[in-house]
Amino acid sequence: MKIYTKTGDKGTTALFGGTRVPKHHIRIESYGTVDELNAHIGLIRDQKIDTITAEVLLEIQHKLFTIGSILATDPEKATLKNGKSRLNIPRISEEDIHLLETEMDRMNEELPEMTHFILPGGHQSVSFCHIARCVCRRAERLSTALYNEEVFDEEVLKYLNRLSDYLFVLARLLTKQLQAEEIKWIPKKS
């Protein structure tokens, strides 16, 4: 299988199902940003982190491939002529969202109450989490804009929303585990 096809040389790409769209189409921006997020999560997983977190991050990466597949599918071609779904993969479920919530609850048990906004940073691994969180928020914004144009599985939006929260809590947990300083944002009075 060749990696290059030359079919995108004129600024278009094919969705799952064959429909060609411009490479700047919001659908491409949406799943491209999810792909970027997946790469950042891989970077976090490559850090010295606990086994449970590494396993959860790997599961998240698998779910992000599912989300990318959903976003890369032309809604008009999502169902085959025989009535079956073009995507023969498990969808994002309430259980997937619940896993993120459960993990946040577990991590929060170890953390002090948050009383202020927190400045990103303190340790490279923590910063990677904050970058991933920001990319996740962008993926959510783009996917929401796409959803307003062409409806798809609403669980995708819920998952991305919860994932950005998860990444924030993970950044706080890593700050504690790595004994880094959590710097509160306290605006200076004018």
Side-chain angles (χ1 to χ4, degrees), residues 118-162:
I118 297 166
L119 297 177
H123 188 281
Q124 186 177 37
S125 298
V126 173
S127 295
F128 289 152
C129 287
H130 283 292
I131 291 168
R133 174 184 56 80
C134 293
V135 174
C136 187
R137 287 286 190 211
R138 181 164 28 99
E140 181 186 11
R141 289 190 304 271
L142 289 166
S143 297
T144 301
L146 174 62
Y147 184 84
N148 287 334
E149 290 181 18
E150 300 175 330
V151 176
F152 52 85
D153 186 357
E154 197 173 296
E155 300 301 305
V156 166
L157 300 177
K158 290 179 187 177
Y159 190 87
L160 291 172
N161 183 272
R162 230 50 108 253

Side-chain angles (χ1 to χ4, degrees), residues 8-187:
D9 289 352
K10 293 187 179 179
T12 65
T13 192
L15 299 175
F16 195 44
T19 305
R20 293 203 70 81
V21 296
K23 288 188 177 186
H24 62 272
H25 191 281
I26 191 154
R27 182 170 293 285
I28 308 307
E29 288 288 341
S30 296
Y31 74 74
T33 304
V34 169
D35 188 36
E36 179 183 351
L37 171 60
N38 206 334
H40 283 290
I41 289 177
L43 187 59
I44 298 167
R45 198 167 49 80
D46 288 342
Q47 304 303 299
K48 291 182 181 179
I49 57 175
D50 64 272
T51 306
I52 293 172
T53 300
E55 289 173 3
V56 171
L57 289 173
L58 184 60
E59 179 64 20
I60 289 168
Q61 287 187 287
H62 282 281
K63 296 304 172 190
L64 289 175
F65 258 87
T66 297
I67 289 172
S69 298
I70 292 167
L71 296 175
T73 302
D74 180 346
E76 293 181 12
K77 296 185 179 181
T79 304
L80 300 172
K81 291 179 183 177
N82 63 10
K84 293 183 180 179
S85 174
R86 179 172 297 281
L87 290 177
N88 189 20
I89 57 174
R91 298 303 184 129
I92 300 300
S93 67
E94 281 293 330
E95 291 79 28
D96 298 325
I97 295 164
H98 183 71
L99 172 67
L100 295 176
E101 293 169 345
T102 301
E103 284 300 304
M104 282 187 278
D105 293 343
R106 179 186 66 79
M107 291 186 290
N108 268 323
E109 288 177 6
E110 298 181 40
L111 298 171
E113 182 180 346
M114 198 174 90
T115 57
H116 293 81
F117 287 107
I118 297 166
L119 297 177
H123 188 281
Q124 186 177 37
S125 298
V126 173
S127 295
F128 289 152
C129 287
H130 283 292
I131 291 168
R133 174 184 56 80
C134 293
V135 174
C136 187
R137 287 286 190 211
R138 181 164 28 99
E140 181 186 11
R141 289 190 304 271
L142 289 166
S143 297
T144 301
L146 174 62
Y147 184 84
N148 287 334
E149 290 181 18
E150 300 175 330
V151 176
F152 52 85
D153 186 357
E154 197 173 296
E155 300 301 305
V156 166
L157 300 177
K158 290 179 187 177
Y159 190 87
L160 291 172
N161 183 272
R162 230 50 108 253
L163 180 56
S164 63
D165 294 336
Y166 168 87
L167 291 165
F168 177 77
V169 177
L170 179 59
R172 291 196 71 216
L173 181 68
L174 291 178
T175 297
K176 181 181 179 197
Q177 290 175 347
L178 296 165
Q179 299 176 345
E181 183 180 3
E182 189 171 79
I183 300 174
K184 296 175 183 173
W185 178 64
I186 302 173

